[in-house]
Amino acid sequence: MTSQQSPRPAIVVVGASRGIGRAIAELAARDDAPVVLVARTIESLRVVEAAIKQAGGEAFSLPVDLTAHDAASILEEFLSREGLVCDVLVNSAGYGLRGAATALPIADQVGMIDVNVRALADLTLRLLPGMVARRRGGVINLASVASFTPGPYMAMYYASKAFVRSFSEALYQETRRTGVTVTCVAPGPVSTEFLEKSGANRAALFKALPKASPEYVADCAWRGFKARRRLVIPGMSARLAILMAGILPSAALLPLVGKLQLRGNDPCPCGSGKQLKHCCRAGHAKGGTASA
Ligand SMILES: NC(=O)c1ccc[n+]([C@@H]2O[C@H](COP(=O)([O-])OP(=O)(O)OC[C@H]3O[C@@H](n4cnc5c(N)ncnc54)[C@H](OP(=O)(O)O)[C@@H]3O)[C@@H](O)[C@H]2O)c1
């Protein structure tokens, strides 16, 4: 870029190598803007980049691990080197883990804060001021229906998504008169690798709910963002699940979610190393408040 040229507005999709992020990137690329694809797996990013280019769009691949504390700086340097500025940021990278908090590896659980929370917040806080100064663009953050209730046996994941929704909705309000939009997307189960990798697909809760396609969620997210919506909930079953979470008292909701998310052959949360069905299942399934 020469010193006379101003940087070109780009759409940055974080978590673009597959799933919902990939679907949003392919949709966004039709808008005649360059798309910057971010995730760890360069081979998968190149596949998405090639698909976008084949469809007549422009795309760049940037392999970054969001657990690295300099991830956001790496992105900023890349944009500046390519003569781009972030007009729209899509935070779709994230992962979940099903199981008792006392049984799952601590590093994997804390890693969810790094990817789902810290990286999302860091990227948003760094890129949003430029959008506000230019009075255009915005941020799409992927939360989940999980953001509407605490989630026993996926505790860290649900808590991380509660952060995403709270943070995004607050920023929506702060920026809504500046020409910038912050949209939070809260899908129910979506048929992506997320369900297998997190173990969620083996829980009764996720088996029972219908799965949306990543393309459907991407379409709802992109259209909702353009319509300047604060919150996008793709699909009727996700809306119903959120309605239930709002109506049921915690004393009923927490044991219900817990029961639907833990299976008999999972390790018992008491730390005995035994399967739940051969250990203290009744106590964990019932829940209740602590008594002296
Ligand atoms: N699928 C669902 O049922 C569902 C429901 C509600 C909400 N969500 C949320 O929607 C978002 C997208 O989920 P998805 O279903 O599309 O999941 P997915 O198919 O597993 O894709 C996750 C994306 O995040 C990237 N990623 C993960 N860890 C990363 C790291 N450390 N650094 C950089 N990139 C990383 C992955 O790329 P690499 O592995 O190549 O790095 C991939 O591109 C997530 O935030 C998820 O919590 C999903």
Side-chain angles (χ1 to χ4, degrees), residues 15-21 39-41 64-67 92-95 115 142-144 157 161 187-190 192-195 197:
S17 60
R18 59 174 189 268
I20 299 167
R40 286 167 303 185
T41 319
V64 177
D65 185 343
L66 295 172
T67 59
S92 187
Y95 72 95
V115 177
L142 265 295
S144 165
Y157 179 72
K161 292 300 170 181
V190 186
T192 67
E193 285 182 30
F194 171 91
L195 291 178
K197 284 180 188 261

Side-chain angles (χ1 to χ4, degrees), residues 95 97 99-116 153-157 160:
Y95 72 95
L97 279 181
T102 50
L104 291 170
I106 294 173
D108 293 345
Q109 294 188 72
V110 175
M112 263 181 267
I113 300 183
D114 272 334
V115 177
N116 301 7
Y153 308 114
M154 275 188 93
M156 193 62 102
Y157 179 72
S160 74

Side-chain angles (χ1 to χ4, degrees), residues 201-223:
N201 61 350
R202 291 185 287 285
L205 182 62
F206 292 83
K207 280 185 184 161
L209 290 169
K211 299 339 138 282
S213 73
E215 290 76 22
Y216 173 73
V217 173
D219 187 55
C220 294
W222 196 240
R223 278 193 292 112

Side-chain angles (χ1 to χ4, degrees), residues 60 62 103 110 120 137 142 144 185 189 212 214 228 252 278 283:
F60 300 80
L62 178 64
V110 175
L120 176 143
L142 265 295
S144 165
V185 184
R228 316 203 60 167
H278 299 308

Side-chain angles (χ1 to χ4, degrees), residues 16-18 38-48 61-65:
S17 60
R18 59 174 189 268
V38 182
R40 286 167 303 185
T41 319
I42 185 64
E43 298 77 16
S44 309
L45 290 175
R46 292 267 187 244
V47 171
V48 184
S61 296
L62 178 64
V64 177
D65 185 343

